[in-house]
Amino acid sequence: MAAHIRRRLRKGATTTAMAAAAVAALAASQAPAATLADGSAGSGDPKAAGEDTASGETDGATGNSPYYTDLPPLVTPDKPGSSSNLPAAGSAEAGIPASVLAAYKQAEQTVATTDPSCRLPWQLLAAIGKVESGQARGGRVDANGTASPRILGPALNGQGFALIKDTDGGAYDGDAVHDRAVGPMQFIPSTWASWGQDANGDGRKDPNNIYDAALAAGRYLCANDRDLALAADLDQAVLSYNRSTEYLRTVRSWYSYYQRGTHEIPDGTGTLPSTPSTPTPSPRPGTGSGPSATPSPKPSPDKPGGKPSPGPSKPGGGGSTSPTPKPPTPKPTPPAETFGSLENAGTGPLRATAGQTFDERVSVRARNALGAPLAKVPVTFTVTGGTGTLFAGGKKTVTVRTGADGTATAPELQAGEKAGEFTVTAVAGTGRPRTLTYAATVTARQADAIARTDEKALVAAPGEKFADAVTVGATYKDAAAAGVAVTATMVKNRLGVIDNDKGPYFKDADGKPVRTLTGLTTDDEGQLRLPEIFADDNEGTYLLRLTTEGGASVVIELTVKAPEETAPEEPAETPDATETPAATKP
């Protein structure tokens, strides 16, 4: 740590004067040629400014995609300081959309906690956001801070920009051929894969979300142990974002402007800059000075085989000819209807009770390389798992073509009888297929009530079998609950906490006594008739507890007692044969 502090003290000593001069020049002039911290203005070589990229890629965070070169007004806001207490109104250019401004400040606070030595100012993020996307196209973001529509740069196909072939399968930029800069801070997918953040806590790292993108930009700028309070480190950070000295001057100008003051404006009302810059394409082999070069003169149409017509006439000169025509500015050719990406089209949680139909249906959307919906794409949906779940019609695999809106929806899912988890996989595209996987759950059938179907007392003599069977009925929301799993257990109390080891019992398949039975299920009418119950030699009152999937339960009393002994009946008196009846006596 001591060595680290000494290094920064030495660096600060050598750059403080230049940093002060740079800030003063920028604040005063707002000119694009403002002096850089290390005096490398106009060199055109980012390495001259001591650049070190955060990711190790030669193209920086944006892949040298175009950016807005508009400069702030010469008259700066008259609100010096850190703009911590923002006025309600001010210059239109000084206004930053509310959600965008909140994202920059949140990123500054987060980085201050995790990397305080970087000293990241939110105004630097605001400057980069202004230059890259015009503050998310003037703050056109939804309630969660996600740009709507999403912000995509042109294809980085080497035609005027860096050549970066697809690295994300179109997942972020919708282009499966070349990468494109994505979102308000214009990250290329390969850089986002390393630096992406989830700053809004929604469980996703989304480059189109201003909160996620601002924090990712802050961490990227702070890489390589930079201290952004030092002018040289700040220059290196900006150049690592986009390798251009013009870009550095433009960002520096807005940074100084925002440091002088700014204010919050409603989302969607920000001022949009003019057309972004278009870097000059590199010369192609065999084309001389490149696409902008003037073509060789051709023979005049009215002089076959003659010499080329002279150039345009000068005042007072003889003859007149048309100026040599300039070649038309080449327009980028839009990609063909190339498959770009496959995304969830709003499928909700997939959950159903065994034997029931799922309320949700799996739906996906196909997009082309430009991010537009792609129709007539075959999508194959497959169910995988051991629950017995199938698509309507009893199929495990179905193929559906996307409609005009690019969506394909699978048939209804019919839950199997076995509870558990399974997956539905959607696959589309050839060569490099795109795949989406959805998790789904089958829950056991449930009952919220269970009761005996009669109230007859259940009594057996020791060592005998209960003569009457136990029959119960289960219901769910007052309807018969068919196929519900039931567990029967002999217990010592009505709470069923302690199992009983004596008294009545069932018999297993081998005829051995058991006092717990599982795997029992109600029939189609929601009823269950228990197997025979036997009594051991212990007399007394015992408890049988039945519980269902869903938490319903009932406790039934079983009585074991010997039958009551009954006294033999006395025979009726018969008259003595020798005795003469009174009526016959004389």
Side-chain angles (χ1 to χ4, degrees), residues 217-295:
R219 296 202 189 284
Y220 186 92
L221 294 167
C222 287
N224 296 327
D225 201 29
R226 296 189 186 106
D227 178 357
L228 299 183
L230 302 179
D233 276 13
L234 188 144
D235 288 351
Q236 291 169 2
V238 175
L239 286 169
S240 77
Y241 213 88
N242 190 314
R243 296 170 56 88
S244 164
T245 50
E246 180 186 26
Y247 179 83
L248 173 58
R249 295 188 194 98
T250 308
V251 169
R252 273 284 203 171
S253 297
W254 280 106
Y255 174 49
S256 176
Y257 181 76
Y258 286 140
Q259 282 185 313
R260 297 265 303 176
T262 185
H263 61 276
E264 179 183 297
I265 59 175
D267 289 344
T269 63
T271 302
L272 292 176
S274 60
T275 305
S277 67
T278 302
T280 302
S282 302
R284 298 179 180 178
T287 59
S289 59
S292 61
T294 303

